[in-house]
Amino acid sequence: MQYSIIAALSAAEVIVEKSRDLGSDVILMGASLRSLRASVVFGDVFNHVINYACCEVISMSYIRGSKTRFRKILVPTLGYKHSERAAEVAKKLVERPGGNVTAISVSEGEAGSEAAERIGALFKGLDIEFTSVVKKGPIAQTILHEAETRNYDLLMIGATERSTRLKFILGSVADEILKNAPVRVIVVRTLEYCSFPPRKRSL
């Protein structure tokens, strides 16, 4: 393992530039208890990194006393690619044998099962139990209710770097889930393109 201590005016810019210099495959970031109680869950550093990093970004929330081994993982899906990537990460993290991954598709209108079924295809032939749940109702509240009543160990949220989707995924729905989830939450940003921010300051 290698590590560096760097003094800089902008931690976010250093993280992004260092990951590019190293050719990193993934950036791992934590969401603190202080952040979880804040009105903006991740803050400026995470928002900058998730928008401009040229690799995948994964952030895990911290819940005191929560498990670090995951037998039951819940993956919300709206049918987009980033949900499938979150499921791929869940497949690597879930405990084997006997682990369970559940895809939940929630809609405030007519709910369909196609999105959850696509995720189910990722688990065929594996020693992992897969379950799909389709529900109608308020998205965040329904996901939280499922996570609490079914005793999941982990919630996986997929996010894309596209600004229009990012505003939704890391907006009010994800804020509510992250601040109120009874279990750990992992946010996975799926890389689709690499964008470069304008330089505001010298490091």
Side-chain angles (χ1 to χ4, degrees):
M1 176 183 291
Q2 296 180 339
Y3 67 90
S4 301
I5 300 175
I6 301 173
L9 294 175
S10 171
E13 289 181 2
V14 169
I15 292 169
V16 170
E17 292 188 7
K18 192 69 174 177
S19 69
R20 288 173 178 160
D21 293 342
L22 295 173
S24 301
D25 298 315
V26 64
I27 296 173
L28 302 176
M29 302 183 71
S32 68
L33 286 172
R34 177 183 59 82
S35 296
L36 289 175
R37 288 195 293 266
S39 59
V40 178
V41 175
F42 286 110
D44 293 339
V45 173
F46 183 83
N47 287 338
H48 182 94
V49 172
I50 203 170
N51 274 290
Y52 296 116
C54 288
C55 61
E56 290 196 359
V57 180
I58 298 178
S59 177
M60 177 183 284
S61 68
Y62 170 78
I63 301 294
R64 188 181 302 277
S66 61
K67 301 176 183 178
T68 53
R69 298 181 66 181
F70 309 118
R71 291 187 59 83
K72 293 183 66 177
I73 301 179
L74 182 63
V75 183
T77 177
L78 296 175
Y80 295 96
K81 185 187 298 183
H82 56 267
S83 299
E84 295 180 13
R85 179 55 186 154
E88 288 278 4
V89 176
K91 185 167 64 175
K92 297 180 185 299
L93 293 178
V94 70
E95 187 173 306
R96 302 188 192 188
N100 171 270
V101 174
T102 297
I104 180 170
S105 179
V106 181
S107 174
E108 294 181 343
E110 189 66 27
S113 61
E114 295 82 3
E117 289 173 355
R118 281 199 295 274
I119 286 182
L122 301 174
F123 294 88
K124 287 184 178 179
L126 302 179
D127 56 348
I128 301 170
E129 180 184 356
F130 176 80
T131 309
S132 64
V133 176
V134 179
K135 293 192 174 183
K136 180 179 178 180
I139 296 174
Q141 295 92 321
T142 303
I143 292 170
L144 287 169
H145 183 264
E146 174 73 14
E148 185 171 12
T149 58
R150 301 292 183 179
N151 298 315
Y152 290 93
D153 302 317
L154 179 67
L155 241 171
M156 301 286 302
I157 300 177
T160 174
E161 77 277 19
R162 290 179 178 174
S163 58
T164 54
R165 288 296 307 158
L166 187 66
K167 185 177 181 181
F168 171 72
I169 291 297
L170 296 182
S172 60
V173 172
D175 280 358
E176 186 169 351
I177 290 173
L178 283 159
K179 287 186 287 187
N180 296 289
V183 299
R184 289 181 187 265
V185 180
I186 291 181
V187 177
V188 181
R189 197 287 302 271
T190 301
L191 180 67
E192 293 181 0
Y193 65 83
C194 179
S195 56
F196 292 84
R199 291 297 301 271
K200 297 181 180 179
R201 55 178 67 88
S202 177
L203 300 179

